[in-house]
C-alpha cells in the first residue's frame, strides 16, 4: 500500500467555543474507497469534515488532503463538500442553482443536466428549491458538489432523512464514483449505514475508537448487525468524559 | 479573481431578487410613494418639500440598498452557501463585485424611478439637471450596499440586521444636515457629522439641487463617498472568512 492516502490527519486538535471537540485525532483515509465516518450526534463528525475541507479554524495538528495542506487553493477544484444542512439558494430554481455552481467550478450546462439526472432531479429543474422536500433539497446540494467530478468528496450525513429506495440509489452512486477513482468520506449517525461503506471510522467524543471494515467489525464483535456491533464497541470503550469527571 | 465567476454571481443575485416580486416592488415603488406622500404632507410649504424631498431622491437608494444587501448577505452566511463558496475556486472579490454589479443595476433602476417621480411628476427642481441627482443616487446606493455587506458580519439573525437600520441610519439621517443645518447643531454633533458617510452624500446632493454655480466641492463630496465605499468593501472582504470557528 504505497499509494498516498486521500486524507492524512495528524494530531488534530479543534476547539469550538469552549468545547475541546477534537482533542488529538490522527487518522488516514484511503483513496478510491467509500469511507464511513460514524458516531453519535455531537461526537465531532462535522468538525472533522470542516477541518478536512479547510473551513475550520484548528488549534493544532495537520491535515493533508490529496497531498496538499487542507484548504489550499489548489484543492478548491479537487474537493467537493456537502454540508449537513443543504447549502443551496432556496429562492432559486434547481436549474438556476446548478447553473450558478457550474459557472463557479467551470463546467458547462450539459454537465449540469447530467449531474441533475445522476441524483434523480432531472424533471425538477424548474422548481424553486425552497418549495422542495428536505430530501430533494439535500439532493440539489449534493448535485452542486458533484458537478466538477472532484477527486475527494466529503459528504456530511447525505442520506439522513431520505427514503430507503433513494438512500440505496445514492449509495450505489457513491460506489460508482469510487469505482471511477474518487475518494469519498461519508458521515452518518445511523450506524446501519456502516454496511454500505468499504472502510469505517468509528468516533466517539472526538476520539477515533476503531478504524475497521464492516466484515472485521462483525468478526470482532460477533454481531451480524452492524448497529449493535457499534453499540457494543461504544459501551466497552472507557468514556473520557467519565474518567475526567470521576475519581 | 475571475470575471466569469464575478458575472455569474451578479446574475445569480439578480435572479434571486427576480423570484421575489415583493422585494422588487419595495425597491422601486416605496421610495417614489413616500416622496409622493411627502409632497402632500408639505402642501402648504412647497419650499420645505423642495429642501427635503429633492435631496431625499438621492438618499433613499442608500437606505434601501443598505437594508436589502445586509439581509441578502446575512442569508448567504446563515444558510451555509457562503461556506460552500469559500471551499470553491471563488475569490472574495468575485463575490463582492458580483454583489456590486447586481445591486448597481438595481440601484440604477431605482434612481431612474425616483428621479422621474420627483423631478418629473412632483415638480421638484434640479437646477443642475436630474441626471446629476440620479448619478449621485447610484453612488449612494453603492455606498449603502458596501456598508450593508460590512454590517451583515455583525448580525446573527435577520431581525438583528433589520435593527441596524435605526441604529446605523437614523443618527446619520438626523446629523447629515437634511432636517437641520449642521452649523445650527451643538458643536460636538457638527464635529461628529464630519465622519459620517451620510454627511458627504447629503452635501453633494444639497449642492446638486440648489441654484448657483457648482464648484469643486461637489466633486470632493462624491470622491469621499466613493472612497468610503471602497474602504467598506475592503473591510467587508476581511469579514468574509474562509476559516471560521
Ligand atoms: N459553533 C460551535 N460553537 C461551539 N460549539 C460547537 C459549535 N459547533 C459544534 N459545537 C459542538 O461541538 C461538538 C461536535 O459537534 P459536531 O462536529 O457538529 O458533531 P457531529 O457532526 O458529530 O454531530 C458538539 O458538542 C457541539 O455542541
Ligand atoms: Mg454533524
Amino acid at each position: 500500500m504505497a499509494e498516498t492516502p486521500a486524507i492524512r490527519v495528524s494530531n488534530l486538535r479543534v476547539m469550538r467555543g469552549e468545547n475541546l471537540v477534537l482533542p488529538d485525532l490522527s487518522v488516514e483515509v484511503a483513496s478510491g474507497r467509500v469511507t464511513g465516518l460514524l458516531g453519535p450526534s455531537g461526537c465531532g463528525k462535522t468538525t472533522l469534515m470542516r477541518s478536512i475541507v479547510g473551513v475550520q479554524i484548528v488549534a493544532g495538528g495537520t491535515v493533508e488532503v490529496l497531498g496538499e495542506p487542507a484548504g489550499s487553493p489548489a484543492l478548491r477544484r479537487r474537493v467537493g463538500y456537502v454540508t449537513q444542512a443543504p447549502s443551496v439558494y432556496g429562492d432559486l430554481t434547481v436549474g438556476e442553482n446548478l447553473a450558478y455552481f457550474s459557472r463557479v467550478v467551470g463546467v458547462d450546462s450539459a454537465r449540469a443536466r447530467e449531474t441533475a439526472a445522476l441524483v434523480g432531479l432531472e424533471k425538477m429543474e424548474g422548481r424553486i428549491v425552497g418549495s422542495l422536500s428536505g430530501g430533494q433539497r439535500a439532493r440539489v446540494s449534493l448535485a452542486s458538489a458533484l458537478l466538477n467530478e472532484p477527486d475527494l468528496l466529503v459528504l456530511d450525513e447525505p442520506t439522513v432523512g431520505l427514503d430507503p429506495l433513494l438512500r440505496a440509489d445514492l449509495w450505489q452512486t457513491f460506489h460508482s464514483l469510487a469505482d471511477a477513482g474518487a475518494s469519498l468520506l461519508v458521515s452518518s449517525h445511523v450506524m446501519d449505514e456502516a454496511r454500505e461503506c468499504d472502510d469505517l471510522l468509528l468516533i466517539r467524543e472526538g476520539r477515533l475508537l476503531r478504524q475497521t471494515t464492516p466484515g472485521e467489525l462483525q468478526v470482532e464483535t460477533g454481531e451480524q448487525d452492524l448497529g449493535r456491533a457499534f453499540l457494543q464497541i461504544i459501551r466497552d470503550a472507557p468514556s473520557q468524559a467519565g474518567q475526567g469527571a470521576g475519581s | 479573481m475571475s470575471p466569469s465567476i464575478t458575472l455569474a454571481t451578479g446574475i445569480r443575485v439578480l435572479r434571486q431578487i427576480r423570484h421575489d416580486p415583493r422585494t422588487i416592488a419595495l425597491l422601486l415603488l416605496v421610495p417614489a410613494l413616500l416622496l409622493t406622500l411627502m409632497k402632500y404632507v408639505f402642501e402648504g410649504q412647497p419650499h420645505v418639500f423642495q429642501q427635503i424631498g429633492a435631496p431625499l431622491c438621492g438618499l433613499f437608494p442608500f437606505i434601501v440598498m443598505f437594508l436589502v444587501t445586509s439581509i441578502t448577505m446575512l442569508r448567504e452566511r446563515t444558510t451555509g452557501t457562503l461556506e460552500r463558496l469559500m471551499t470553491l475556486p471563488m475569490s472574495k472579490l468575485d463575490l463582492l463585485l458580483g454583489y456590486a454589479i447586481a445591486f448597481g443595476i438595481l440601484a440604477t433602476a431605482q434612481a431612474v424611478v425616483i428621479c422621474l417621480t420627483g423631478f418629473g411628476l412632483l415638480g421638484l427642481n434640479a437646477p443642475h439637471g436630474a441626471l446629476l441627482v440620479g448619478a449621485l443616487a447610484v453612488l449612494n446606493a453603492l455606498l449603502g450596499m458596501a456598508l450593508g455587506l460590512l454590517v451583515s458580519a455583525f448580525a446573527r439573525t435577520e431581525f438583528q440586521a433589520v435593527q441596524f437600520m435605526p441604529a446605523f441610519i437614523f443618527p446619520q439621517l438626523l446629523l447629515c444636515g437634511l432636517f437641520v443645518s449642521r452649523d445650527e447643531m451643538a458643536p460636538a454633533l457638527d464635529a461628529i457629522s464630519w465622519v459620517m458617510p451620510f454627511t458627504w452624500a447629503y452635501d453633494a446632493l444639497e449642492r446638486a439641487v440648489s441654484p448657483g454655480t457648482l464648484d469643486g466641492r461637489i466633486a470632493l463630496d462624491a470622491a469621499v463617498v466613493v472612497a468610503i465605499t471602497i474602504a467598506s468593501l475592503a473591510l467587508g472582504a476581511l469579514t468574509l472568512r474562509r476559516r471560521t470557528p
Side-chain angles (χ1 to χ4, degrees):
Chain A
M1 291 262 286
E3 204 179 357
T4 48
I7 304 168
R8 182 182 282 144
V9 175
S10 318
N11 305 105
L12 178 64
R13 181 181 174 84
V14 180
M15 301 279 305
R16 299 194 78 174
E18 297 291 290
N19 307 324
L20 180 56
V21 177
L22 304 176
D24 180 22
L25 189 77
S26 298
V27 68
E28 287 187 5
V29 174
S31 77
R33 295 172 74 86
V34 177
T35 302
L37 177 62
L38 299 176
S41 269
C43 72
K45 301 182 294 296
T46 298
T47 304
L48 175 58
M49 290 186 144
R50 281 172 45 85
S51 310
I52 290 167
V53 298
V55 297
Q56 176 69 49
I57 294 175
V58 305
T62 57
V63 182
E64 214 176 89
V65 176
L66 305 171
E68 313 228 15
S72 53
L75 290 176
R76 287 181 203 139
R77 296 185 180 278
R78 302 183 62 199
V79 177
Y81 174 41
V82 179
T83 49
Q84 193 165 355
S87 50
V88 284
Y89 298 97
D91 43 7
L92 293 181
T93 65
V94 173
E96 287 169 340
N97 266 287
L98 294 180
Y100 176 53
F101 289 115
S102 302
R103 291 282 293 279
V104 174
V105 299
V107 299
D108 61 16
S109 53
R111 173 63 196 162
R113 279 192 298 278
E114 195 180 301
T115 313
L118 192 65
V119 297
L121 286 173
E122 61 271 43
K123 294 203 181 65
M124 296 189 201
E125 278 158 323
R127 296 272 306 271
I128 298 280
V129 167
S131 73
L132 300 177
S133 74
Q136 291 167 331
R137 218 174 305 169
R139 278 182 285 155
V140 182
S141 193
L142 177 62
S144 308
L146 297 179
L147 285 165
N148 61 334
E149 303 172 85
D151 298 323
L152 172 67
L153 273 163
V154 179
L155 311 176
D156 201 353
E157 312 226 9
T159 55
V160 170
L162 299 189
D163 59 85
L165 205 64
L166 200 59
R167 208 166 349 170
D169 277 355
L170 277 185
W171 280 108
Q172 206 162 26
T173 305
F174 299 161
H175 281 286
S176 52
L177 291 167
D179 291 343
S183 311
L184 290 90
L185 182 65
V186 184
S187 76
S188 179
H189 69 270
V190 182
M191 306 311 160
D192 293 335
E193 304 227 276
R195 71 187 135 84
E196 307 281 2
C197 305
D198 299 325
D199 293 326
L200 295 176
L201 307 175
L202 308 185
I203 300 218
R204 194 190 59 172
E205 293 170 10
R207 283 161 219 276
L208 186 66
L209 290 185
R210 285 288 187 289
Q211 176 155 22
T212 181
T213 64
E216 280 171 21
L217 187 63
Q218 285 167 333
V219 171
E220 181 189 343
T221 57
E223 284 277 6
Q224 278 308 299
D225 181 287
L226 288 167
R228 284 217 293 273
F230 187 33
L231 274 182
Q232 186 181 322
I233 300 263
I234 282 200
R235 289 213 187 93
D236 292 352
S239 163
Q240 300 290 329
Q243 275 183 353
S247 61
Chain B
M1 213 212 120
S2 136
S4 133
I5 296 180
T6 305
L7 192 64
T9 302
I11 292 170
R12 184 261 294 173
V13 173
L14 285 173
R15 280 180 168 164
Q16 284 181 285
I17 292 168
R18 195 187 61 192
H19 282 296
D20 185 358
R22 250 180 267 184
T23 296
I24 299 177
L26 188 91
L27 284 171
L28 296 184
L29 299 182
V30 168
L33 288 176
L34 285 176
L35 198 65
T36 310
L37 181 68
M38 200 177 255
K39 176 178 170 71
Y40 294 104
V41 167
F42 291 113
E43 191 160 48
Q45 298 160 285
H47 65 282
V48 178
F49 180 53
Q50 167 69 25
Q51 190 192 325
I52 295 180
L56 263 185
C57 290
L59 285 178
F60 265 130
F62 175 105
I63 300 171
V64 180
M65 286 301 156
F66 175 83
L67 201 57
V68 175
T69 314
S70 59
I71 288 178
T72 312
M73 192 61 186
L74 183 71
R75 277 195 198 151
E76 190 106 63
R77 289 175 196 274
T78 55
T79 58
T81 49
L82 181 64
E83 178 170 290
R84 183 200 283 269
L85 291 177
M86 293 287 105
T87 66
L88 296 179
M90 165 179 241
S91 78
K92 297 170 190 177
L93 208 58
D94 287 328
L95 186 62
L96 292 174
L97 292 182
Y99 267 74
I101 291 173
F103 287 111
I105 288 172
L106 269 177
T108 307
Q110 193 184 39
V112 166
V113 171
I114 194 163
C115 288
L116 281 178
T117 309
F119 299 106
L121 298 177
L122 301 178
L124 288 171
N125 292 321
H128 306 288
L131 205 59
L132 177 61
V133 180
L136 290 173
V138 172
L139 283 189
N140 293 342
L142 289 174
L143 173 64
M145 178 210 77
L147 290 170
L149 283 174
L150 179 58
V151 303
S152 78
F154 303 98
R156 288 267 157 87
T157 63
E158 287 183 23
F159 189 59
Q160 287 179 3
V162 172
Q163 297 304 313
F164 278 132
M165 167 85 166
F168 192 80
I169 305 279
F170 283 9
Q172 298 199 62
L173 203 55
L174 282 178
L175 293 190
C176 75
L178 178 63
F179 298 112
V180 180
S181 154
R182 282 160 56 218
D183 46 22
E184 290 168 27
M185 296 176 192
L189 292 185
D190 183 26
I192 292 172
S193 74
W194 280 100
V195 297
M196 295 190 153
F198 237 73
T199 305
W200 299 88
Y202 169 74
D203 196 68
L205 284 165
E206 200 242 344
R207 285 164 201 275
V209 298
S210 305
T213 54
L214 289 177
D215 53 16
R217 184 55 204 270
I218 189 169
L220 173 70
D221 287 335
V224 171
V225 166
V226 171
I228 300 174
T229 304
I230 292 171
S232 316
L233 278 178
L235 280 177
L238 291 180
T239 69
L240 295 175
R241 285 289 156 85
R242 285 201 192 262
R243 284 183 188 269
T244 52

